[in-house]
Amino acid sequence: MKNHEALPSDLIIEPLKLKHLSLLRANSNSKYLGIFQILLCKKWFSSLESSFTNLIPTRNSTCLVAVERDNIIAYILATPINRRGTCWSISEPYFIGESISFSRYNLLQSLLRKVLYESNINTQSFLISINTNDNQNLSVIRQSGFQPLRIIKYWNRKEGIKYRKKEYKDNFNWEKLNEDNSQQIWRLEQARESINFRSIFDRQWHDIYEKRNTLTGVIKSKENNIIAGLIPSVCPQYNYSVELIRGLAWDERLNKSIPQRINNMKASQKKYYIETTSEDNKLNEILNINNWEITEERVLLGRSVWKRQNRYKLKSIETELLTNLVGNLQQQPELPSTIQMEKNK
């Protein structure tokens, strides 16, 4: 769908407002009332933050709802995922009702177009995560300009297996995230990522530190070097989800240190998940042989844009950088020819 196309006349997509709560009360979707009240509060905070972007970083989600004939049928969330707000994640659409006239394919098209072209989100990049088997939504997302970045595996402990706490007498230890090791693990993360991914995600070390939780930390060798770590997810899909990363070169000590860490983590009431990339066969093998199983595979897609004020045109980062580079080149004075110099002697 092109950005200049109008929405269908019976479909309205707009930011969440107070009036939408009354629509929920009037129909069978009242069970979503509490969720929308929380989202509305976050939206108000987000609006306040956007007025002071130079002073307060934007941290709260923006919610857009699809309304058809006074019925809320779907909503979508956009959330800043780094401190500077240069990259936002877009959620999958949440369908809370059935449309009379439009397919879910069309609804996702319209919701994405609203976020990308017509929202007040001032950002350069977007990320979105989708199940690898969801071919219909993947098609819509690809048509909207998103490119696949990686496939993520979500691992969970197998049920019914008793884990005995086991300590290895190898010289490595577990350390919770702090300001110092967050900078070290960030450099390790940057080294393994492609330039394209780094430019889209734009994560800094303090983004890792600020989003730490009870599960995050680093594995250190006796030389005080970080060889692996559990860090906040790039685009989390669960409340308890962390990403397992390591250095570029494989360290054999990880065969013991990783199982010790992941199997000794305190079990919480809710399931927690460990994320790995599909191409990291070493980490995937360790999780597999230690009784962890894949519960889902998702593809992470990204899109980088430059927005011009008062226009809904998108400009690629590559074009912008090239334009700046050429524009900054100063015409240099012509260098004297060596042949001319010899003639003047």
Side-chain angles (χ1 to χ4, degrees):
M1 182 179 290
K2 296 180 181 179
N3 60 334
H4 62 267
E5 291 178 0
L7 288 173
S9 57
D10 291 334
L11 183 65
I12 299 174
I13 296 180
E14 58 187 354
L16 180 64
K17 299 177 182 178
L18 191 60
K19 68 178 183 179
H20 296 129
L21 300 185
S22 61
L23 296 180
L24 289 173
R25 293 190 184 98
N27 55 43
S28 59
N29 287 329
S30 57
K31 62 182 179 180
Y32 293 96
L33 186 59
I35 296 175
F36 274 62
Q37 287 174 335
I38 295 173
L39 292 174
L40 187 60
C41 290
K42 289 185 176 182
K43 183 251 184 180
W44 287 336
F45 280 116
S46 181
S47 300
L48 179 63
E49 289 169 346
S50 63
S51 302
F52 301 95
T53 51
N54 294 328
L55 301 175
I56 306 174
T58 303
R59 299 176 186 272
N60 288 288
S61 302
T62 294
C63 177
L64 297 173
V65 295
V67 182
E68 181 188 28
R69 300 179 185 179
D70 291 332
N71 289 315
I72 299 177
I73 54 179
Y75 68 97
I76 199 169
L77 300 175
T79 307
I81 58 177
N82 60 21
R83 188 177 184 181
R84 297 190 294 172
T86 55
C87 184
W88 285 55
S89 67
I90 303 175
S91 72
E92 291 184 76
Y94 298 92
F95 295 100
I96 63 176
E98 292 299 327
S99 171
I100 299 173
S101 307
F102 312 105
S103 67
R104 291 192 171 187
Y105 183 95
N106 298 132
L107 289 172
L108 179 55
Q109 277 185 320
S110 299
L111 286 164
L112 278 178
R113 181 165 61 88
K114 193 73 174 181
V115 172
L116 294 173
Y117 299 97
E118 302 174 28
S119 69
N120 292 323
I121 298 173
N122 183 23
T123 187
Q124 300 171 6
S125 304
F126 289 97
L127 290 175
I128 191 168
S129 173
I130 204 79
N131 190 286
T132 52
N133 295 322
D134 193 344
N135 295 325
Q136 178 173 283
N137 282 350
L138 276 172
S139 175
V140 179
I141 293 167
R142 289 299 305 273
Q143 289 177 19
S144 299
F146 285 82
Q147 299 297 322
L149 299 172
R150 62 166 61 154
I151 295 177
I152 301 173
K153 294 179 181 289
Y154 288 82
W155 298 81
N156 186 245
R157 288 189 185 192
K158 290 182 180 179
E159 296 182 358
I161 297 178
K162 294 182 179 180
Y163 293 88
R164 292 184 303 172
K165 189 171 182 180
K166 186 177 181 180
E167 299 290 346
Y168 294 98
K169 295 183 178 180
D170 291 272
N171 294 314
F172 48 74
N173 66 292
W174 174 256
E175 187 176 274
K176 292 183 177 180
L177 285 181
N178 54 46
E179 291 191 2
D180 181 57
N181 61 35
S182 293
Q183 296 180 53
Q184 297 178 54
I185 197 71
W186 172 76
R187 286 192 289 269
L188 186 149
E189 179 199 41
Q190 294 291 295
R192 69 167 194 153
E193 301 293 0
S194 67
I195 295 176
N196 184 42
F197 187 87
R198 294 201 304 265
S199 67
I200 293 175
F201 187 31
D202 194 25
R203 174 150 72 174
Q204 305 298 316
W205 71 266
H206 44 69
D207 296 313
I208 293 176
Y209 176 67
E210 289 183 357
K211 294 186 178 181
R212 68 195 185 280
N213 55 48
T214 57
L215 301 177
T216 55
V218 298
I219 298 173
K220 280 191 169 184
S221 66
K222 66 178 181 179
E223 299 84 12
N224 207 34
N225 296 321
I226 293 177
I227 57 176
L230 292 169
I231 63 174
S233 303
V234 172
C235 197
Q237 301 300 309
Y238 304 96
N239 291 331
Y240 297 93
S241 178
V242 288
E243 183 182 2
L244 177 61
I245 69 170
R246 62 176 177 89
L248 293 176
W250 180 251
D251 192 319
E252 292 296 332
R253 290 171 294 184
L254 294 177
N255 291 317
K256 293 183 178 180
S257 62
I258 288 178
Q260 175 182 322
R261 180 59 229 160
I262 62 177
N263 290 333
N264 290 348
M265 288 192 296
K266 292 181 180 179
S268 59
Q269 294 180 352
K270 296 183 179 180
K271 289 184 177 181
Y272 53 88
Y273 299 84
I274 292 178
E275 299 177 18
T276 61
T277 58
S278 61
E279 65 268 17
D280 197 330
N281 295 325
K282 289 282 190 179
L283 291 184
N284 293 329
E285 182 182 1
I286 287 179
L287 290 170
N288 184 50
I289 63 178
N290 282 277
N291 296 314
W292 287 66
E293 60 184 352
I294 299 173
T295 58
E296 186 181 16
E297 283 190 349
R298 300 179 71 87
V299 57
L300 183 68
L301 302 101
R303 173 182 174 131
S304 292
V305 299
W306 288 91
K307 283 190 176 183
R308 289 184 175 182
Q309 292 182 352
N310 303 322
R311 297 184 185 179
Y312 299 136
K313 293 183 179 181
L314 299 178
K315 194 174 185 181
S316 69
I317 287 181
E318 291 80 4
T319 304
E320 182 77 13
L321 292 175
L322 182 59
T323 302
N324 291 339
L325 178 62
V326 174
N328 290 334
L329 291 177
Q330 300 292 330
Q331 185 175 0
Q332 300 296 325
E334 184 178 354
L335 295 175
S337 169
T338 56
I339 299 176
Q340 185 67 30
M341 292 174 63
E342 291 176 357
K343 288 183 178 180
N344 292 337
K345 288 183 180 180

